[in-house]
Amino acid sequence: MRRQLLAIVAFLAAMALVPHLVDSEFWRNWVMMALFYALLGQAWNILGGYGGQFSFGHAAFFGTGAYCSAILHVHYGVNPWIALPAAGMAAGLVGAFIGFLSFRYGLRGSYFALVTLAFAEVLRILANTVPITGKGVGLLIPLEPGAANMQFADRTGYFYLILAFVGLALLLTLWLEHSRFGARLVAVRENEDAARALGVDVFRTKLAAITLSGALAGLGGSYYAQLFLYLDPGIAYGPAISVEALLVPIVGGMGTLFGPLLGSFALHGVSELAKLAFGEAPGLDLALYGVLLVLMVMFMPNGLFGMGRTTLARLLGGRRDA
Amino acid sequence: MLEVEGVSKNFGGLRAVADVTMRVEEGSITALIGPNGAGKTTLFATISGFLRPDTGRVRFLGRDIAGLSPERICRLGLARTFQIVQPFAGLSVRENIAVGAHLHRPGRTEALAHAELIGRQIGMGRMLDQPAGALTIAGRKRLELARALATDPKLLLLDEVMAGLNPTEIEEIVAVVRRIRLAGVTILLIEHVMQAVVSLAETTWVLSDGVLIARGSPAEIAADPKVVEAYLGRGAAARLAGREGGAAHA
Amino acid sequence: MVELQILLPAILNGLTTGAVYALIALGLTLIYGVLHIINFAHGSLLMLAMYAVFFLHAGLGIDPYLALPVVVPGFFALGYLLQRGVIARASHGRDENILLVTLGVSIVIENLARYFWRSDTRTIETPYSFETVDLGVAFIAVPKVVAFAGALLVTLALWWVMSRTDLGRAIRALAKERQGARLVGIDVDHIFAMSFGIGTACVAAAACLLLPSFYVSPGVGHTFVLIAFTVVVLGGMGSFAGALIGGLIIGVTESLCGLYLGESLGQIGIFLIFIAILLFRPTGLLGHRA
Ligand SMILES: Nc1ncnc2c1ncn2[C@@H]1O[C@H](COP(=O)(O)OP(=O)(O)OP(=O)(O)O)[C@@H](O)[C@H]1O
Ligand SMILES: [Mg+2]
């Protein structure tokens, strides 16, 4: 735990230097977006990686957070800083709602994946129809630069904000790894019946995990809205975010503290390379993502982090088999 | 401590458990035996909350627990093991046991320390950091026992924890079970290994085709013609001559 | 009160769309029933097939319906190779891995399509695109009537394959009991791939029937795949009759919801059915308990 905490602090400190040391606006942005996807991935990781419940609809939480803070701000004049926790809570509630229904009726595996997908889709259609979201046209957040409005003209503010969120997510995950709740969540992932026989309330454990995961993704949504100052149903609730949220931890290493971080930087490194290689051709970088995903599952089912760890352990001769 | 009154459980047309009434005295070691398919595991599942009995009541420490969820029942102090072992395969032995230890120990450090203690008691001291998925069948059976014990149960239901073990391993587990009882835990065990039943249990109940057909000390049971018939009718000779090849159960 | 004059055409239109949904769902349910996997690539394979039909028409002037004998075997082969060469190899037999692999395959196909053919929607025009048939109670577009009849025919053909041929028997045996099928000497990997191939062929047939009246774009698979999932879940995963009935029900539901709630909100009815079925009766209307 000590060492993990030190690693987190070292990482955050190194990242904090990026805006000062990296001159290129492009690369600063690149790191910022990698951090943003790491946040989404970490959110997914809590439910999917530690809890073993694969969601294919994390956009439902992301979009709710995004719309919640944007709507509160645009239509009700609520300050974005105040709307931020509200967005996290709203997304957490959506998580609790979906979780309550799915887990109460014992949905698992593919069925759970499908139901989350369907919920995201229902929300997308709703956002397309109700006036408060601006329907298909989208919702424009008025430009009012100023830290008080969570809008940062020089963008360094955005950088530190997402860094803070990532730090929060990392600390939360660290706590998870060393808490009773986390131990129970992992037990549920490994074997529900055995967990119940040991007094674990499987339903409540999963419910707490999806709520937490949803809330974290909701914070990501709120951040996204303030960063791009524009939302539409496809951005907020479309499948792209859901896929991104699950790819990042799967590539990096599910159920690990640093997996999503690693996955996010790796994936965005690859996609940047792909863009360099293929020019700005739309689609090719994403196609490469897909290839990567298949190769990942084929050759390293434990993710980059898992692979790094087992290789390291083997090199050090640390792995003792029965 | 445990009173089962008129419990039945049907699977479709099959009466797996039929109107069973039995009791387990506090501080005792009680055995439940019977031929394959007699309904022993099903009875355990109804007692521990994994199955809801179709009829009848289950009283534990004076409280009706039929219909409660397994986790509630576990929290009341009744823990079970699984005949078909259910390890948390991706976790280490220590972490496996800690899940049980957490029931009454919120702190991670505390739970891990307790897990280590229990692990050593059960004779898994050297396996603590191994992944549970890499354990041998004997190791997994021990792990079942260790995890359940870590929840600080008052009553422990053991479902064939000795199946598939060799004679030395059986002796070790018999000693472990004895120590657990000395520490004040009441034990109800399902076992086909007669040698273990004889050396451990004060009282033995015999289940056959879902019905309790006999009750008594192991010696009385062995002399009971109904029991012999129940076993012989289903090819008991093979079983008595060391049927614990075990593969069928693993 | 909505007049019968509006209601009847809506129902008939719903039935015709529903038959195509059924056809797509049939492929999905077959793959699910045998391999126990949810094929996330189903929608993108449909999209790919639609492009194939489109280019056969645009490039060689082949009528979509006449493309059937080319596209269907072609996609059967594609599905076979995909299962044998990629999915089986990458998944190590773990269900969640298969889910991810099919997701990955769909991302690849979809984005390659986006790269090669851009995001514009394309349609083809045939002499009969705007013809209608008078069914007495309503006028229905010719392509829709053909799609309806075609979907039923393909379903019938599939049913014949499944119940009357050795292949069908092997597939059904495998769906019921993997271990047993292996023991009686069924080449499991081959039959898995055959099932995936047939499932993909269904989608190709659907593409031929759809294109005279529907557009194609890289994202078109999404429109259908969630609906196909709904149909499969509604009918009961793995059930053929369920897929057919489910498809028709969903088609009509969509059409009626559209009538009462408007185009965009209309789709919500489908997803609500989907969620409700998943929650309350995950075995579907005709499915068996797992
Ligand atoms: N979930 C179930 N569904 C249907 N039938 C079941 C189920 N569980 C058990 N059975 C049947 O109930 C009967 C009793 O099974 P049970 O496992 O309780 O026997 P047992 O006494 O534990 O046998 P063994 O000594 O082999 O462990 C058997 O005929 C079994 O096939
Ligand atoms: Mg048993």
Side-chain angles (χ1 to χ4, degrees):
Chain A
M1 170 138 185
R2 239 306 163 41
R3 270 195 314 198
Q4 288 171 309
L5 191 62
L6 274 177
I8 292 177
V9 171
F11 170 77
L12 292 179
M15 281 293 131
L17 293 177
V18 166
H20 303 289
L21 298 184
V22 177
D23 268 339
S24 138
E25 166 91 32
F26 171 82
W27 284 109
R28 282 204 301 264
N29 256 325
W30 184 85
V31 173
M32 199 165 85
M33 288 323 283
L35 288 173
F36 165 73
Y37 285 112
L39 173 67
L40 287 187
Q42 198 65 270
W44 189 94
N45 193 31
I46 290 176
L47 180 65
Y50 289 93
Q53 314 298 312
F54 281 28
S55 148
F56 276 63
H58 254 55
F61 315 132
F62 168 85
T64 301
Y67 270 123
C68 178
S69 70
I71 288 171
L72 280 178
H73 181 48
V74 174
H75 293 309
Y76 300 98
V78 178
N79 182 285
W81 290 107
I82 296 170
L84 178 74
M89 262 167 13
L93 277 179
V94 169
F97 176 75
I98 296 177
F100 183 86
L101 285 177
S102 327
F103 300 141
R104 174 92 308 171
Y105 292 98
L107 292 191
R108 292 193 212 175
S110 333
Y111 287 93
F112 175 72
L114 283 179
V115 121
T116 51
L117 188 71
F119 268 109
E121 202 58 16
V122 165
L123 288 171
R124 189 182 62 77
I125 296 170
L126 274 181
N128 242 324
T129 9
V130 297
I132 200 165
T133 59
K135 300 192 184 176
V137 179
L139 194 62
L140 213 54
I141 298 164
L143 187 69
E144 312 155 77
N149 286 324
M150 211 200 275
Q151 292 183 14
F152 308 96
D154 69 345
R155 296 182 77 81
T156 329
Y158 285 120
F159 189 95
Y160 286 119
L161 188 57
I162 194 66
L163 188 60
F165 284 160
V166 169
L168 175 76
L170 282 172
L171 290 176
L172 195 70
T173 314
L174 181 66
W175 166 79
L176 194 75
E177 283 201 351
H178 298 277
S179 69
R180 170 156 81 173
F181 169 63
R184 289 178 162 172
L185 187 59
V186 171
V188 166
R189 172 189 77 197
E190 295 287 319
N191 189 323
E192 289 196 9
D193 275 345
R196 304 185 77 191
L198 298 174
V200 175
D201 189 331
V202 170
F203 174 68
R204 272 179 45 184
T205 306
K206 288 201 245 180
L207 194 62
I210 196 174
T211 309
L212 201 61
S213 174
L216 218 48
L219 290 185
S222 181
Y223 174 80
Y224 186 98
Q226 287 307 116
L227 180 62
F228 292 102
L229 301 176
Y230 173 74
L231 283 179
D232 71 25
I235 294 173
Y237 289 121
I241 287 285
S242 299
V243 169
E244 204 78 41
L246 75 95
L247 277 188
V248 158
I250 288 172
V251 168
M254 281 185 284
T256 62
L257 177 57
F258 293 107
L261 216 49
L262 209 61
S264 177
F265 276 88
L267 272 177
H268 285 267
V270 167
S271 93
E272 217 49 63
L273 280 179
K275 272 187 200 146
L276 279 179
F278 302 127
E280 282 290 328
L284 271 192
D285 53 331
L286 281 173
L288 198 68
Y289 259 43
V291 172
L292 204 73
L293 175 62
V294 174
L295 290 179
M296 278 289 317
V297 180
M298 202 179 294
F299 295 113
M300 30 184 194
N302 295 323
L304 284 175
F305 193 78
M307 196 180 68
R309 203 167 41 176
T310 34
T311 324
L312 206 68
R314 218 169 278 148
L315 284 179
L316 300 174
R319 195 186 171 95
R320 281 169 297 156
D321 285 314
Chain B
M1 166 165 259
L2 179 75
E3 290 134 44
V4 176
E5 296 169 16
V7 163
S8 303
K9 180 75 205 174
N10 301 318
F11 293 117
L14 178 83
R15 281 211 108 180
V17 174
D19 195 24
V20 165
T21 298
M22 66 178 288
R23 52 190 290 123
V24 174
E25 300 300 335
E26 177 147 16
S28 69
I29 295 183
T30 307
L32 177 64
I33 64 170
N36 288 123
K40 305 179 295 293
T41 299
T42 308
L43 183 59
F44 264 28
T46 38
I47 293 172
S48 57
F50 280 86
L51 294 172
R52 181 187 281 273
D54 295 331
T55 66
R57 290 199 301 175
V58 180
R59 295 173 72 76
F60 175 59
L61 297 172
R63 176 165 178 187
D64 193 351
I65 56 166
L68 292 188
S69 66
E71 55 268 25
R72 286 282 301 282
I73 292 175
C74 179
R75 257 174 261 157
L76 292 174
L78 193 164
R80 71 168 289 188
T81 67
F82 291 96
Q83 176 180 4
I84 298 166
V85 291
Q86 313 272 358
F88 303 125
L91 308 187
S92 72
V93 167
R94 191 196 308 269
E95 288 166 332
N96 264 267
I97 307 175
V99 175
H102 266 309
L103 184 63
H104 297 296
R105 290 170 196 78
R108 187 70 182 149
T109 326
E110 245 181 307
L112 284 171
H114 189 66
E116 177 159 349
L117 188 75
I118 296 281
R120 291 191 193 288
Q121 278 174 18
I122 302 297
M124 303 192 82
R126 279 188 303 170
M127 301 167 222
L128 282 169
D129 293 313
Q130 270 182 29
L135 292 176
T136 59
I137 183 66
R140 289 170 192 226
K141 291 275 178 185
R142 271 177 208 252
L143 182 58
E144 281 287 326
L145 183 54
R147 277 193 324 203
L149 190 60
T151 63
D152 302 328
K154 300 190 182 76
L155 172 63
L156 196 52
L157 307 188
L158 305 179
D159 196 346
E160 300 203 20
V161 285
M162 296 171 211
L165 307 194
N166 66 36
T168 328
E169 291 165 337
I170 290 178
E171 250 166 58
E172 284 170 17
I173 294 281
V174 165
V176 166
V177 172
R178 220 175 253 133
R179 276 205 305 274
I180 295 173
R181 192 260 294 268
L182 280 180
V185 182
T186 308
I187 290 165
L188 172 61
L189 49 81
I190 295 178
E191 207 47 74
H192 281 303
V193 183
M194 276 308 168
Q195 155 213 352
V197 174
V198 172
S199 74
L200 281 173
E202 288 106 39
T203 314
T204 301
W205 300 79
V206 186
L207 198 63
S208 173
D209 282 332
V211 182
L212 272 182
I213 54 167
R215 168 202 169 187
S217 70
E220 290 164 356
I221 293 292
D224 191 322
K226 269 187 298 184
V227 178
V228 176
E229 191 185 308
Y231 274 94
L232 282 180
R234 288 165 165 256
R239 181 171 299 105
L240 291 176
R243 61 168 286 285
E244 295 307 325
H249 283 270
Chain C
M1 238 316 289
V2 176
E3 303 274 328
L4 225 53
Q5 274 155 310
I6 309 175
L7 206 56
L8 270 179
I11 290 177
L12 284 175
N13 262 314
L15 283 176
T16 59
T17 328
V20 179
Y21 290 162
L23 189 50
I24 299 167
L26 225 49
L28 203 57
T29 215
L30 171 68
I31 293 171
Y32 182 85
V34 180
L35 288 113
H36 301 289
I37 61 168
I38 291 187
N39 176 19
F40 271 98
H42 209 61
S44 33
L45 286 168
L46 173 70
M47 177 268 293
L48 204 59
M50 287 170 83
Y51 270 109
V53 176
F54 175 85
F55 284 115
L56 282 175
H57 180 269
L60 304 173
I62 298 177
D63 182 89
Y65 298 140
L66 297 180
L68 210 77
V70 185
V71 178
V72 169
F75 272 76
F76 168 79
L78 179 68
Y80 186 96
L81 292 176
L82 201 58
Q83 161 64 24
R84 219 160 176 173
V86 179
I87 299 175
R89 226 169 264 231
S91 58
H92 309 290
R94 284 172 29 196
D95 284 1
E96 68 268 25
N97 284 353
I98 300 183
L99 216 67
L100 294 175
V101 173
T102 58
L103 180 70
V105 167
S106 81
I107 293 176
V108 174
I109 296 178
E110 203 172 295
N111 286 290
L112 285 181
R114 203 156 272 150
Y115 173 68
F116 285 115
W117 304 315
R118 306 294 147 183
S119 297
D120 359 319
T121 58
R122 305 170 193 229
T123 50
I124 58 178
E125 249 177 64
T126 54
Y128 47 82
S129 278
F130 296 102
E131 296 284 316
T132 56
V133 186
D134 185 1
L135 293 181
V137 287
F139 288 92
I140 305 290
V142 168
K144 295 209 146 194
V145 177
V146 177
F148 182 75
L152 291 188
L153 277 177
V154 176
T155 307
L156 210 64
L158 195 61
W159 174 81
W160 181 82
V161 169
M162 290 303 289
S163 57
R164 291 294 145 86
T165 65
D166 283 346
L167 173 64
R169 273 186 280 274
I171 291 179
R172 278 183 300 143
L174 200 54
K176 254 203 209 101
E177 236 276 78
R178 253 175 225 200
Q179 222 47 44
R182 219 180 279 273
L183 288 179
V184 298
I186 291 176
D187 180 350
V188 173
D189 294 333
H190 172 68
I191 297 297
F192 274 174
M194 287 299 278
S195 313
F196 206 94
I198 296 176
T200 312
C202 285
V203 156
C208 296
L209 296 174
L210 269 174
L211 217 59
S213 60
F214 212 83
Y215 66 88
V216 55
S217 75
V220 75
H222 288 286
T223 322
F224 288 98
V225 78
L226 267 173
I227 292 175
F229 278 139
T230 314
V231 170
V232 168
V233 167
L234 178 65
M237 294 239 189
S239 160
F240 278 19
L244 186 58
I245 297 169
L248 297 178
I249 293 177
I250 291 296
V252 172
T253 308
E254 182 189 37
S255 176
L256 291 183
C257 281
L259 192 62
Y260 288 106
L261 303 174
E263 271 297 318
S264 71
L265 202 57
Q267 284 230 316
I268 245 179
I270 297 178
F271 293 115
L272 292 181
I273 290 185
F274 182 50
I275 292 168
I277 293 274
L278 273 175
L279 294 178
F280 302 113
R281 198 178 154 76
T283 51
L285 296 177
L286 299 177
H288 306 285
R289 206 151 268 285

